[in-house]
Amino acid sequence: MSPTRFVLDCDTGSDDAIAILAAASHPGLEPVAITTVGGNVALADVTANTLSVLGLVGADVPVYSGADRPYLRPDLPIPRDVLNKDSAFQLSRLGFGEPVSTARAEHAVDFLTRFYGDAASADAALVATGPLTNVALALTAEPGLAERIPRLVLMGGAHANGNVTAAAEFNFWADPEAAQVVLTAGIREVVIVPLDATHSAPLSERDCEVFERIGTPAAAGVAMLLRHRLEHDRAAAGSAPVHDPMCVAYLVRPDLFTEQVEASVSVETIGERTLGELLVDTRPWRSEPSNATVALRASTAVYRDFLRTAFAAG
Ligand code: RIB
Ligand code: CA
């Protein structure tokens, strides 16, 4: 069976980096290109982190740099340096050294419109693990593009508690207008991986030890990133959610999610206390048609098996 082809749009922080390493290592995955967007850290650092992570494993995947500010707003709702002030978790550089390659000259949005405008891309899913700015700009620039993206799997939102506010998860909060544009664009298959799913299958110190025993550069890099997350993003004693790799895992392990709903989804773009909130309408009598599958729980066993398969191969 040929590997699953996809484009990854990301804001490379540590969990995006683990997703990239898994995508570059897993025998069932073929990352065709990576587009970068400002999010966890500034765009230049996102792009440098992406190139450095690819360099760690010698992966020849073209990188296209994209939006460094939100779709409509001049900045995040709270500027990044204020949001990350005193944060030991969010590092501008991930520690994999300076990049040994450079991003392509073409802007990420131009790449996305060109790539999905080509019929040969009809089998390539789009995976988004950062704010949806690039995707929203491409959908706006190219009417009809939504019909040409066969499948969008994205990390974002929260049905229960958010992580930036009680209501909002970071990717949707950072650019709520972009998230609303993307979710209502009419892409035929949208799978949302919210915090509910990612927090239901956290990784642990034991996973670090397994990755370290594998001993490959990818596995050692993942162990380092996971240790950092365990130290600074602890969800429960001794475990930490690792959000973004779930999206690439789902491409080859459709059994990853143990609970999901079909819903009419939208994103709050005005609320003073709820800006960026994902609204998941499952009321049987709702007037809006379903426009997304929302994963609510994941299998830790399947997630671990995916990661170990990826990094044992890497
Ligand atoms: O809220 C978690 C999400 O925001 C993850 O994708 C993380 O990398 C950040 O982009
Ligand atoms: Ca991310």
Side-chain angles (χ1 to χ4, degrees):
M1 188 170 168
S2 55
T4 299
R5 293 185 346 125
F6 70 101
V7 171
L8 175 64
D9 185 77
C10 58
D11 63 330
T12 311
S14 66
D15 58 336
D16 307 77
I18 296 174
I20 292 168
L21 288 168
S25 305
H26 195 285
L29 291 169
E30 182 185 341
V32 174
I34 297 178
T35 53
T36 61
V37 62
N40 279 312
V41 293
L43 176 67
D45 291 321
V46 168
T47 305
N49 284 333
T50 301
L51 292 166
S52 295
V53 167
L54 290 170
L56 176 73
V57 292
D60 182 18
V61 180
V63 175
Y64 300 84
S65 183
D68 61 358
R69 46 157 291 188
Y71 179 69
L72 287 183
R73 297 165 183 262
D75 199 351
L76 306 186
I78 299 174
R80 184 177 298 108
D81 58 354
V82 175
L83 190 70
N84 291 346
K85 188 167 63 66
D86 307 328
S87 162
F89 173 51
Q90 206 56 271
L91 303 173
S92 56
R93 292 297 174 91
L94 295 175
F96 293 118
E98 286 303 309
V100 293
S101 57
T102 56
R104 299 298 172 89
E106 185 178 21
H107 191 280
V109 173
D110 295 333
F111 165 77
L112 290 171
T113 55
R114 174 173 62 82
F115 179 80
Y116 282 108
D118 181 347
S121 306
D123 68 324
L126 176 57
V127 175
T129 61
L132 290 166
T133 317
N134 288 338
V135 182
L137 288 168
L139 290 165
T140 306
E142 191 63 47
L145 192 70
E147 287 73 41
R148 305 184 74 96
I149 298 173
R151 182 187 214 198
L152 170 64
V153 183
L154 67 92
M155 193 280 139
H159 192 29
N161 293 326
N163 56 6
V164 179
T165 68
E169 172 280 328
F170 176 81
N171 287 336
F172 283 14
W173 172 87
D175 197 344
E177 285 79 11
Q180 177 65 2
V181 163
V182 172
L183 294 183
T184 57
I187 296 172
R188 75 185 87 121
E189 183 183 353
V190 176
V191 178
I192 298 176
V193 185
L195 295 177
D196 312 75
T198 64
H199 278 260
S200 73
L203 300 180
S204 66
E205 174 65 33
R206 185 162 58 93
D207 296 294
C208 291
E209 291 159 8
V210 168
F211 296 141
E212 279 164 349
R213 279 200 299 273
I214 291 173
T216 59
V222 170
M224 181 192 81
L225 292 166
L226 181 51
R227 278 196 198 292
H228 177 76
R229 297 186 69 85
L230 283 165
E231 190 177 337
H232 298 289
D233 192 33
R234 194 178 302 276
S239 69
V242 185
H243 313 286
D244 296 338
M246 267 197 193
C247 293
V248 296
Y250 180 67
L251 295 181
V252 287
R253 292 297 303 264
D255 57 334
L256 174 62
F257 299 125
T258 56
E259 185 184 340
Q260 58 192 45
V261 291
E262 300 305 311
S264 309
V265 299
S266 56
V267 178
E268 177 58 66
T269 57
I270 299 173
E272 181 184 343
R273 301 169 65 83
T274 56
L275 183 68
E277 181 173 13
L278 170 64
L279 297 158
V280 180
D281 190 350
T282 57
R283 295 171 298 162
W285 61 86
R286 64 185 183 275
S287 57
E288 296 292 317
S290 293
N291 57 345
T293 299
V294 181
L296 294 174
R297 290 193 67 77
S299 159
T300 308
V302 171
Y303 195 30
R304 281 198 170 112
D305 186 54
F306 162 78
L307 291 168
R308 291 175 186 180
T309 301
F311 298 120

